[in-house]
Every structure is written in C-alpha cells, then in structure tokens.
C-alpha cells in the first residue's frame, strides 16, 4: 500500500522499547560535570585568575587581557580533558533559537604539525558572519558585522564535543541583536533600583537579583507519524485534523502514570540536563494526551534562561534518539490543550532573602508589602509591555481559549493578601514606633507566615501570586523566557526607581521615613487596584468587567506588538538604559516579519495539502461511490433504487460541495496573500495577514475535517488525531 499514513503507523506499532540505561553513579556525582563551574574553575585556573573571574561574575569587574589569556588556557585544558575538540560562541539571536559556529582548537605549527590553542580574545569576542540573522534594519546586510561577547555570569559548557561559551550578540554599532543583551541590562537595572529600596530596611543588602523557575510544557509524537504530517513538520502544528472521539475529556492523562517510552526519554533528558548543570526536578503528564511538563529548581534569571534554551535544544535532540519528535508549539492540535511555559519570578538578595516572601517580623512584612505594591503598580501601568513580550502567532491560539489565561493581563494575590491591602488602604491612624524606627505593629496588618495555601490558588490568572513568587502563566511554550523576563524586570525596575523618588520627596519634606514609605505604598495600592482580579479569568463576565476597568484586551500579535514602539515604552526603556528607540523599533519590525512569515507558511502548507492531498483522495472516494450507485441502478428496479441510493447520492453531493468550497476558498486565500505581500509597511502587512489571510485557515479546515469523517479510512492520507495523540 502506498499510503504514507499506513506505512508510518506500521513503523510506530513495531517500535521496541528504546535503549537508555540509568547511570550507576548518583546525580550528585555527575551534576554539572560538563560545565566550567566553580569547582572546575578552581581546579583549572591560577588563584589570581580564579579570583578575577569571580569578581567579574559577582561584581561585574572587567577582565584584563593577561587574565583573559589565563582563563582561556584554563577553560581549554578543562574542555580538552572532557573530550572537546571545538569551541563556539553560543548566543540567542532574535530568531528564537540558539546559534553557534564551531571552530576547532587547532593552530598549525612548523613541520606540518598542529597544537591545540585557545586565546583570551577567542574567549572574549568573536565576529561571526551574521548577515542572515534578523536585525530589523539595524545592521545592513552588506556590512554583516555583528559581535559576540562572552557572558562570564553563565557557565561555559560542553555539548557534542564542543565547548559552548554563552555570549551576547551585538551589531558593529553596539545595538543589541539578541535576547541576552537587554536581559542582562534589565537585571543590572533592577539590581540598582531594588537595592536602593532595600536600603530603607537593611543596609546589609547590597545586591538584588531576579530569580526564575520555568515550567516547560511539551508534546511528544512518534517520529514516523510526525514525518507523515507535512503541516506538523513545516509549521509545528496540525492545520487539519478532526477531533478524536476521545481526547482529554476524561482527564485521565493529567498526573497519570507516565508511558514507558516517554519515561525512558525523560530519564535520558534529565541525565543530560543534570550533566549540564540544569537542575531539572519535576516531571509529570499534562492535561492533553501525550502532553508533558518538566520544571527545574529556580535559579538566577540569566542562568535559568540559558538553561531553558539549552533544555529545549536537548529535548529535540534526545527525542530523536527515542524515535519521538518533541512539539514545542503552543497549539499543535485543535481542541486539545496547548502548551505554555509558566515563568515563576521573584527577587532575591545577597543576604539570602526572598523579597516576595512575607516575613516573620513587622519590618520584613513591611518590606514585602513595598515590593508587592510596586510589582502590582508596574503591572497596572505597563501591562501592554508584558503583553507585547509574550506575543507570537503560536501563543495567539492559546491566550483566551479557555485553557490559558486571556489576553487581558491582571494579577491574582489571594484572599488573605487582598484583605491586607484593603486594610492598608483604609488605614489612617499612626502607630507606635518600634526599635527599628518602624511603627508597623499597628499600621501594618499582620500577614500569616505561611501563605502557601494550595486551596487559595487561581489557575486561570495570567499573573498569580503563589505565596513567595509571581507565576507569569501567559508565556508560550516555545518562547525564549528572556523576552518576558526582561520586560518584567524593566517595568519593575522603573517602578522601584519612581518609588524611591516618591518616598525621598516626602522624607525631604520632613515626613518620617516609615511614614513616607507607608503613604506611598498606600497610594500605589489604591492606584493599581484595577489590575487585581481574583475571579475566573476564563469567564465572559471578566472580559466585560475588564473592559469597564479599562484594562487592555489585545487579542492578536500584530496589535500586541504595537506597545513596543509607543512613546511611553521607549521612554521607559531608554530611562532604564535597557533598549534604545532604535533597538525597540528593530525588535518591532523583526517580530512583525516573523509573524507574517509564520502565517504565510501555514497558509501555503494548508493550501498545498488541501489541493494535493485532500481533494484528489476525496474525488477518488467519490468515484467509488458513483460506480457503486451506477451498479445499483443496473441491478435494482427503479423504485428500490431511488429508496436505497438516497444516502449515497447525498454523500456524493456533499463531497462535491466540500471539494468545491475548498478550491474556492484556497484560491481566495491566495488572492489575500498576494494583496498582503504587496504591502510595504511591515505593520500593515502583519495585520493584513492576521485579518485577511488567517481566517481562511479555519474556513478551509472545517471542510477538510468534515471530509475526514466521510471518506474511507483506508484512503485518508494524513495520520489522524487519534493516532497522533494515542499511538505510542
Ligand atoms: P506549580 O504548583 O505551579 O507546579 P511549584 O511550586 O512546583 O509550582 O513551582 C514551580 C516553579 O517555581 C519551580 O520551578 C520552582 O523552582 C519555582 N520557584 C519556587 N520558588 C521560586 C522563587 N523564589 N523564584 C522563582 N521561582 C521559584
Ligand atoms: Mg505552575
């Protein structure tokens, strides 16, 4: 049989259990062994080089040339001892993947021989030929000059016999062309702003850094079935497919026993992750069939972002070894849940305090409320910036589809904290002063120590306080966390700077420090009240209520991206020195182009499949029916024939109608694509794709999915949902 679907099914059904033997060593013995971590640094660097490197990591000190050479020599020896033959600068261009160009550790010497070499300058800076990375017009292609520069705060690691050095990627003129550059700047800006605020409470706090713990959702599908679906292979999602009679209705997959083939994949993924120092801790089944999640222990944000990028790469690689394809797309299948990536975010200090954890004393509670109020206010005034940083064609399918938060950004803080904030709002009388000069015993309502109450959780909120951190749930599964985290760090940094200004202004007017802080916090709580929502975010009532409150509800990517170039955004990013207006404009253009291209590809794939796969099969099946009807006519008397051929005739008619509609709509879609392609302005083009091309995908799909139910299963060319979702 030539049907590729049946060939793929045969391969899938004959799969043997894939091979992976769990290591005999304990995880503590191999964790981080492929990273140039502190232990490796100590072993391979001179005392001087080690200390200098630590100072760079911790205090941002620059490294002199001589020391750089020493560090490079140390890293080289370590890497070679681990079997590395090449090195690469590893960076995250705005395409959303990670990029690398490998060079061997090799320098020819006299006599036709070669030695392994790696110099300080090769560690610190490289000039990849980067002409085909997106730059949004910043870097003319003929110039093609971009630089990668070492980020010493993220450990170098070895993958596939290659030493990978985490780097930033900037243009010749110094404009950021990647995700990491602005992320690092946002971390520095947040450190400065938050540390200044912490000084009101504790002079020992000299550093504040954001922490991130992501939860990565994904699907696994058998590699043979994946290859038999050109739409999945080319776009990451299925553009056709009738719902399976059974999918997730019974909720029998969520937290169920993990299927053996998937489990073996996870074991190998975890083993490889641990060797690379990625602290993966949790694994479980998700809601949809063949959907899973993994999560690490949280880390400093820059490191955690790198680890997530690395993990996504490992997943794809290891999945192939187990004859799986991993699907990181936000919505691979219609009508079953899509995938997200919750970003758990908090602020930690050099003194070991979590600033979003309610403290034991009145002072620490007060400090907690200061940070809580600032985050809420930042979110209220700049939710559009966060929304822009989670926008993608894939995530458009998820947000607001009653499986993920809506496109309306709001915050959930739970009943206890809501009550606390309400009390503060009403608070008028001044209290007694305590030993630290704070009068909080009276003015600040006591917050219960343990807020981690699992019953008080709202799983529908896009930005939920979960006891000691915020969980940003609207991030897409394929996203680079650096985007949303950079945005969040920036709006909070800017807000904290404003807070310090507001408080100092009052202090300069001779208001006592604690009273000044209290007044400002109280004002912020009032001003940002509209961002708080404790109810069901999936309900239609919330959409109406949010509209009344004036909260934006931006449904698609081209509209959401506009926030990147608003005057208010540019001012905020320039004030905090994170991104310039030029860089923001470039990012805006890149994201728009990216959106347009993705919809364009989906539309083309759908058109091709409809015309070349579906219609010919529909006609073939229809011809069989026609032959059958003709035969019936020959053998039956005319009265019986009319009676018994009615349904068949109806089917023949319906098939013709669907085929006709598919042809017409595919051609109308093509016209719309041509019209959109003629638009010069990227924003107009992306909007045209959104408004005029995208709707055809749904219209055409409806007809194809109807045909799937009508046509002989033996003829249907594409693996069906029940096979993609259930065949192991
Ligand atoms: P859930 O119940 O949503 O599945 P968990 O409580 O298991 O969540 O935690 C999810 C993630 O939150 C984990 O990656 C965890 O490390 C992370 N997390 C916990 N505390 C913090 C923190 N202070 N900062 C950032 N992330 C954190
Ligand atoms: Mg979670």
């Amino acid at each position: 049989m030539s049907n590729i679907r049946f060939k793929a099914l045969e391969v899938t059904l004959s799969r043997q259990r894939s091979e992976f033997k769990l290591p005999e060593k304990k995880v503590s013995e191999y964790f981080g062994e492929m990273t140039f971590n502190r232990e490796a640094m100590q072993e391979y660097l001179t005392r001087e080089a080690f200390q200098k490197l630590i100072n760079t990591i911790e205090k941002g000190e620059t490294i002199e040339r001589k020391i750089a050479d020493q560090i490079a020599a140390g890293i080289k020896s370590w890497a070679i001892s681990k079997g590395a033959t090449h090195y690469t600068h590893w960076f995250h261009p705005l395409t959303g993947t990670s990029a690398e160009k490998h060079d061997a550790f090799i320098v020819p010497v006299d006599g036709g021989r070669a030695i392994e070499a790696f110099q300080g300058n090769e560690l610190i800076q490289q000039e990849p030929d980067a002409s085909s990375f997106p730059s949004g017009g910043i870097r003319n292609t003929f110039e093609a000059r971009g630089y990668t520069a070492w980020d010493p705060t993220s450990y170098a690691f070895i993958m596939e016999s290659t030493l990978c050095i985490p780097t930033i990627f900037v243009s010749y003129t110094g404009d950021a062309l990647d995700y990491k550059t602005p992320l690092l700047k946002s971390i520095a800006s947040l450190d400065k702003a938050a540390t200044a605020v912490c000084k009101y409470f504790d002079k020992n706090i000299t550093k504040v850094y954001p922490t991130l713990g992501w939860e990565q959702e994904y699907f696994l599908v058998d590699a043979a079935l994946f290859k038999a679906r050109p739409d999945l292979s080319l776009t990451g999602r299925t553009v056709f497919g009738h719902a399976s009679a059974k999918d997730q209705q019974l909720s029998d997959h969520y937290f169920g026993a993990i299927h053996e083939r998937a489990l073996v994949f996870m074991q190998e993924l975890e083993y490889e992750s641990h060797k690379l120092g990625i602290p993966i801790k949790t694994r479980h089944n998700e809601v949809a069939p063949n959907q899973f999640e993994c999560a690490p222990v949280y880390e400093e944000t820059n490191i955690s972002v790198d680890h997530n990028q690395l993990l996504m790469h490992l997943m794809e690689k290891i999945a192939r070894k187990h004859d799986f394809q991993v699907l990181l797309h936000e919505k691979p299948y219609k009508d079953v849940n899509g995938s997200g990536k919750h970003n758990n975010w908090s602020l930690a200090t050099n003194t070991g305090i979590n600033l979003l954890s309610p403290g034991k004393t009145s002072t620490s509670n007060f400090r907690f409320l200061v940070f809580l109020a600032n985050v809420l206010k930042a979110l209220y005034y700049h939710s559009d910036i966060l929304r822009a940083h989670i926008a993608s064609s894939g995530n458009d399918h998820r947000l607001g589809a009653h499986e993920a938060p809506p496109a309306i950004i709001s915050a959930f803080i739970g009943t206890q904290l809501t009550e606390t904030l309400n009390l503060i709002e009403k608070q008028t009388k001044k209290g007694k002063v305590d030993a630290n000069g704070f009068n909080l015993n009276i003015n600040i309502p006591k917050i219960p120590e343990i807020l981690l109450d699992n019953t008080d959780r709202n799983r529908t909120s896009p930005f939920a306080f979960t006891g000691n951190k915020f969980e940003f749930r609207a991030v897409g599964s394929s996203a680079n966390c650096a985007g949303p985290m950079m945005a969040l760090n920036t709006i909070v940094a800017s807000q904290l700077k404003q807070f310090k200004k507001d408080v100092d202004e009052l202090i300069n007017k001779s208001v006592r420090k604690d009273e000044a802080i209290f007044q400002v916090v109280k004002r912020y709580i009032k001003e940002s009240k509209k961002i708080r929502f404790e109810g069901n975010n999936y309900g239609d009532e919330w959409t109406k209520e949010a509209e009344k409150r004036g909260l934006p509800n931006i449904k698609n990517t081209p509209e959401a991206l506009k926030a990147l170039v608003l005057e208010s955004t540019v001012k905020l990013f320039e004030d905090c020195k994170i991104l310039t207006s030029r860089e923001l404009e470039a990012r805006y253009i890149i994201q728009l182009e990216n959106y347009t291209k993705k919809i364009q590809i989906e539309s083309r794939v759908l058109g091709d499949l409809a015309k070349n796969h579906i219609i010919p099969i529909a006609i073939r099946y229809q011809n069989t029916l026609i032959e059958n009807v003709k035969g019936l006519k020959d053998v039956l008397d005319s009265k019986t024939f009319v009676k018994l051929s009615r349904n068949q005739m109806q089917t023949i008619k319906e098939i013709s109608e669907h085929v006709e509609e598919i042809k017409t709509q595919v051609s109308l879609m093509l016209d719309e694509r041509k019209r959109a392609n003629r638009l010069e302005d990227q924003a107009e083009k992306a909007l045209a794709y959104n408004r005029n091309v995208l709707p055809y995908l749904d219209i055409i799909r409806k007809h194809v999915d109807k045909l799937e139910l009508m046509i002989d299963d033996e003829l249907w060319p594409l693996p069906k949902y029940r096979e993609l979702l259930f065949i192991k």
Side-chain angles (χ1 to χ4, degrees):
M1 179 170 294
S2 68
N3 185 324
I4 183 172
R5 168 169 156 241
F6 285 94
K7 280 192 187 151
L9 284 170
E10 243 170 65
V11 172
T12 302
L13 291 169
S14 65
R15 294 262 192 243
Q16 300 297 311
R17 186 185 194 280
S18 56
E19 278 307 305
F20 173 70
K21 252 184 82 211
L22 275 174
E24 276 167 19
K25 286 195 277 185
K26 287 188 294 187
V27 61
S28 55
E29 291 173 90
Y30 58 80
F31 188 88
E33 72 177 19
M34 297 311 258
T35 65
F36 194 61
N37 57 16
R38 297 264 168 138
E39 201 178 281
M41 287 176 190
Q42 227 155 1
E43 189 181 336
Y44 283 88
L45 298 180
T46 60
R47 189 186 291 246
E48 187 193 12
F50 175 73
Q51 200 46 57
K52 286 266 159 81
L53 183 51
I54 296 298
N55 288 350
T56 306
I57 294 170
E58 285 175 358
K59 301 181 196 144
E61 287 177 11
T62 46
I63 292 178
E64 312 121 59
R65 178 60 204 259
K66 189 185 90 195
I67 299 293
D69 281 337
Q70 281 187 29
I71 296 172
I75 294 189
K76 183 197 71 181
S77 307
W78 168 78
I80 290 171
S81 79
K82 297 275 179 189
T85 55
H86 288 67
Y87 67 91
T88 183
H89 277 196
W90 183 76
F91 57 101
H92 312 317
L94 294 166
T95 40
T97 48
S98 46
E100 33 193 283
K101 172 182 147 235
H102 298 183
D103 283 304
F105 289 119
I106 184 173
V107 172
V109 289
D110 286 348
R113 293 180 57 254
I115 54 163
E116 289 88 8
F118 184 53
Q119 309 278 324
N121 57 354
E122 288 163 316
L123 167 68
I124 287 177
Q125 202 174 59
Q126 290 275 294
E127 195 179 332
D129 172 20
S131 50
S132 33
F133 289 116
S135 69
I138 279 179
R139 176 172 40 73
N140 292 326
T141 11
F142 61 82
E143 229 180 25
R145 289 175 80 179
Y147 288 101
T148 52
W150 180 32
D151 166 20
T153 56
S154 182
Y155 298 138
F157 57 93
I158 296 171
M159 197 165 54
E160 287 133 31
S161 310
T162 302
L163 168 67
C164 301
I165 299 151
T167 58
I168 58 165
F169 178 43
V170 293
S171 75
Y172 184 61
T173 48
D175 295 306
L177 296 173
D178 68 344
Y179 282 100
K180 196 190 256 284
T181 307
L183 176 71
L184 289 174
K185 288 183 178 174
S186 77
I187 290 170
S189 176
L190 184 57
D191 175 18
K192 205 168 151 203
T195 303
V197 170
C198 283
K199 295 273 190 211
Y200 286 136
F201 300 92
D202 182 355
K203 294 270 182 273
N204 294 320
I205 295 177
T206 53
K207 189 181 171 74
V208 173
Y209 57 94
T211 50
L212 164 65
W214 36 263
E215 300 164 62
Q216 178 73 53
E217 291 183 338
Y218 62 98
F219 280 88
L220 288 176
V221 60
D222 189 277
L225 297 174
F226 173 82
K227 284 184 194 132
R229 289 280 319 214
D231 49 354
L232 261 187
S233 315
L234 298 176
T235 72
R237 77 178 183 99
T238 51
V239 295
F240 302 137
H242 195 281
S244 166
K246 173 185 187 288
D247 47 50
Q248 62 186 40
Q249 312 88 323
L250 301 177
S251 301
D252 49 356
H253 192 254
Y254 193 48
F255 282 89
I258 298 171
H259 184 271
E260 193 178 301
R261 256 184 85 198
L263 184 65
V264 180
F265 155 76
M266 289 178 193
Q267 286 170 335
E268 183 160 359
L269 175 65
E270 287 164 12
Y271 174 61
E272 291 300 326
S273 299
H274 290 157
K275 282 198 293 182
L276 286 165
I278 309 171
I280 294 292
K281 189 174 168 72
T282 309
R283 57 160 104 115
H284 62 80
N285 283 359
E286 261 303 328
V287 174
N290 282 354
Q291 191 188 26
F292 308 94
E293 178 183 301
C294 70
V297 178
Y298 71 92
E299 298 173 281
E300 185 280 324
T301 298
N302 177 40
I303 292 179
S304 188
V305 165
D306 279 357
H307 281 165
N308 181 245
Q309 286 297 110
L310 197 48
L311 177 100
M312 290 195 286
H313 174 84
L314 284 179
M315 279 178 133
E316 304 216 320
K317 191 179 87 171
I318 294 164
R320 276 195 291 276
K321 279 178 72 179
H322 295 267
D323 300 310
F324 279 129
Q325 176 72 36
V326 63
L327 304 178
L328 291 170
H329 193 283
E330 283 75 13
K331 194 75 180 173
Y333 306 110
K334 190 170 172 262
D335 295 331
V336 292
N337 276 15
S339 302
K341 178 150 56 195
H342 296 175
N343 279 206
N344 295 273
W345 175 91
S346 192
L347 295 169
T349 68
N350 62 306
T351 55
I353 286 167
N354 177 351
L355 292 171
L356 288 177
S357 184
K360 290 195 174 105
T361 63
S362 50
T363 311
S364 52
N365 266 346
F366 194 29
R367 186 189 59 215
F368 161 72
L369 288 168
V370 163
F371 281 92
L372 181 74
N374 274 285
V375 173
L376 292 175
K377 182 153 180 262
L379 197 67
Y380 179 54
Y381 285 99
H382 300 294
S383 70
D384 59 336
I385 293 180
L386 272 196
R387 175 68 187 88
H389 284 88
I390 50 166
S392 70
S393 61
N395 220 12
D396 281 356
H397 293 281
R398 245 182 103 240
L399 300 179
H402 295 248
E403 56 165 76
I408 310 160
I409 303 278
S410 68
F412 166 88
I413 57 170
T415 340
Q416 287 167 324
L417 276 183
T418 303
E419 276 168 21
T420 308
L421 298 197
N422 289 345
L423 278 172
I424 292 175
E425 220 188 297
K426 287 188 214 123
Q427 190 80 250
T428 47
K429 74 174 189 320
K430 292 180 186 177
K432 274 195 304 210
V433 176
D434 73 2
N436 298 319
F438 290 111
N439 63 355
L440 315 163
N441 287 335
I442 297 161
N443 272 354
I444 301 290
K446 190 147 175 53
I447 299 165
E449 233 172 73
I450 307 287
L451 266 173
L452 278 162
D453 177 2
N454 277 315
T455 57
D456 197 18
R457 280 209 164 188
N458 182 334
R459 303 232 167 240
T460 67
S461 173
F463 200 80
F465 185 73
T466 51
N468 56 4
K469 61 188 183 286
F470 272 103
E471 184 168 346
F472 188 21
R473 300 211 183 95
V475 184
S477 48
S478 68
N480 183 326
C481 304
M485 288 298 96
M486 180 278 290
L488 183 56
N489 292 341
T490 304
I491 63 173
V492 172
S494 162
Q495 180 51 58
L496 288 168
K497 275 203 322 200
Q498 184 61 44
F499 176 77
K500 173 100 170 72
K501 236 166 121 187
D502 291 345
V503 171
D504 287 350
E505 219 168 81
L506 289 177
I507 292 175
N508 290 338
K509 286 184 196 152
S510 308
V511 179
R512 289 173 45 84
K513 179 173 79 174
D514 56 330
E515 189 56 35
I517 297 173
F518 186 74
Q519 277 184 29
V520 178
V521 166
K522 188 171 146 182
R523 171 157 71 81
Y524 283 11
I525 289 171
K526 248 193 219 160
E527 284 172 356
S528 63
K529 209 170 177 179
K530 285 187 182 150
I531 200 71
R532 285 191 265 138
F533 179 61
E534 302 288 303
N536 176 15
N537 283 255
Y538 295 0
D540 294 332
E541 310 82 62
W542 171 229
T543 315
K544 287 184 210 131
E545 161 75 14
E547 201 184 326
K548 262 196 242 152
R549 292 190 191 185
L551 297 179
N553 182 4
I554 308 166
K555 295 221 175 71
N556 65 64
T557 295
E559 295 282 354
L561 291 174
K562 284 182 184 164
L564 291 179
V565 288
L566 290 179
E567 214 176 295
S568 51
T569 309
V570 172
K571 186 169 176 334
L572 183 116
F573 277 85
E574 290 203 329
D575 279 354
C576 291
K577 299 196 170 56
I578 313 289
L579 287 165
T580 62
S581 69
R582 223 159 86 96
E583 290 170 318
L584 282 163
E585 175 73 26
R587 263 149 224 265
Y588 179 48
I589 300 293
I590 290 168
Q591 299 295 346
L592 286 170
E593 280 176 349
N594 198 15
Y595 178 84
T596 298
K597 282 180 195 155
K598 290 221 163 122
I599 304 296
Q600 190 178 57
I601 294 170
E602 286 183 4
S603 155
R604 279 184 183 157
V605 169
L606 179 133
D608 289 353
L609 283 180
K611 284 206 316 223
N612 309 329
H613 285 59
I614 308 299
I615 292 179
I617 293 294
I619 289 173
R620 198 191 304 171
Y621 179 59
Q622 193 187 32
N623 283 337
T624 323
L625 295 181
I626 291 171
E627 284 307 308
N628 181 257
V629 170
K630 278 185 188 160
L632 285 177
K633 195 168 185 180
D634 289 345
V635 298
L636 299 173
D637 64 83
S638 61
K639 213 173 138 200
T640 322
F641 170 72
V642 170
K643 195 173 156 215
L644 293 184
S645 64
R646 217 172 34 224
N647 276 322
Q648 295 234 53
M649 295 293 281
Q650 180 61 23
T651 309
I652 291 169
K653 206 174 128 243
E654 277 175 31
I655 291 178
S656 284
E657 282 165 3
H658 288 306
V659 166
E660 187 52 30
E661 269 304 298
I662 291 171
K663 280 189 179 159
T664 311
Q665 301 294 341
V666 167
S667 136
L668 289 173
M669 177 171 74
L670 180 66
D671 293 342
E672 286 299 343
R673 270 206 326 258
K674 283 187 184 154
R675 229 185 311 251
N677 291 345
R678 281 196 292 271
L679 296 169
E680 291 283 330
D681 184 87
Q682 290 299 340
E684 280 176 27
K685 193 187 279 190
L687 265 181
Y689 264 91
N690 177 267
R691 289 191 187 146
N692 309 333
V693 177
L694 194 58
Y696 281 102
L697 273 71
D698 279 337
I699 295 172
I700 299 163
R701 176 180 193 137
K702 276 207 188 88
H703 293 288
V704 173
D705 290 357
K706 281 267 164 52
L707 284 175
E708 184 185 320
L709 286 186
M710 299 168 79
I711 288 169
D712 183 357
D713 184 62
E714 292 263 328
L715 295 175
W716 194 254
L718 302 172
K720 295 184 172 180
Y721 268 26
R722 60 165 188 262
E723 294 151 357
L724 294 165
L725 287 167
F726 290 100
I727 299 278
K728 302 299 172 23

